[in-house]
Amino acid sequence: HVQLVESGGGSVQAGGSLRLSCASSGWRYISNCMAWFRQAPGKEREGVATAYIGGRGDTFYADSVKGRFAISQDNANNTLHLQMNVLTPEDTGTYYCAVDLLCTLPLNGMDAPDYMYWGHGTQVTVS
């Protein structure tokens, strides 16, 4: 079965950086979408970035993170990364890795209901 395990969260001061990783197993890694979502206390889960795995490098970013965050693939290890720079307190939340086995190109957005597999999340706190 599909397993997603996030790591790399922590506490950082505003302006700092963190790199999240999502190790995956139990699914056909290529030709699907992997994404990062986040949820702050009292708020709905929101999409952060998504990538089409194994393609031309197609990605989609939420406006709030464009230019600061970068999603990348380690196809040899079935791992997705999220490099987060210039962090602000508004980036605080639990970050989840998710998989959409039915995604298609082009990537125009990210809706949580489209993603059928989820990790347990990793906490990011920016002060």
Side-chain angles (χ1 to χ4, degrees):
H1 63 284
V2 178
Q3 285 190 310
L4 303 172
V5 180
E6 302 96 336
S7 62
S11 297
V12 65
Q13 291 187 337
S17 298
L18 284 173
R19 186 174 187 244
L20 305 183
S21 297
C22 175
S24 68
S25 61
W27 64 298
R28 184 171 179 266
Y29 185 69
I30 62 173
S31 301
N32 296 289
C33 287
M34 284 185 78
W36 289 98
F37 287 79
R38 67 186 179 188
Q39 188 165 19
K43 294 187 178 181
E44 293 187 355
R45 191 169 298 189
E46 64 171 347
V48 174
T50 189
Y52 189 84
I53 304 299
R56 306 168 302 175
D58 294 83
T59 57
F60 176 88
Y61 293 92
D63 288 343
S64 59
V65 305
K66 280 181 182 177
R68 300 188 299 122
F69 290 13
I71 193 170
S72 62
Q73 310 167 27
D74 176 358
N75 294 341
N77 295 298
N78 291 2
T79 300
L80 187 73
H81 300 288
L82 184 69
Q83 178 66 43
M84 306 188 295
N85 300 323
V86 195
L87 286 161
T88 72
E90 288 69 36
D91 296 315
T92 293
T94 302
Y95 282 68
Y96 298 91
C97 177
V99 167
D100 176 4
L101 299 180
L102 301 175
C103 71
T104 57
L105 295 174
L107 301 178
N108 294 321
M110 27 187 328
D111 295 320
D114 291 336
Y115 290 79
M116 58 280 289
Y117 296 104
W118 294 82
H120 292 293
T122 185
Q123 178 66 35
V124 171
T125 303
V126 185
S127 59

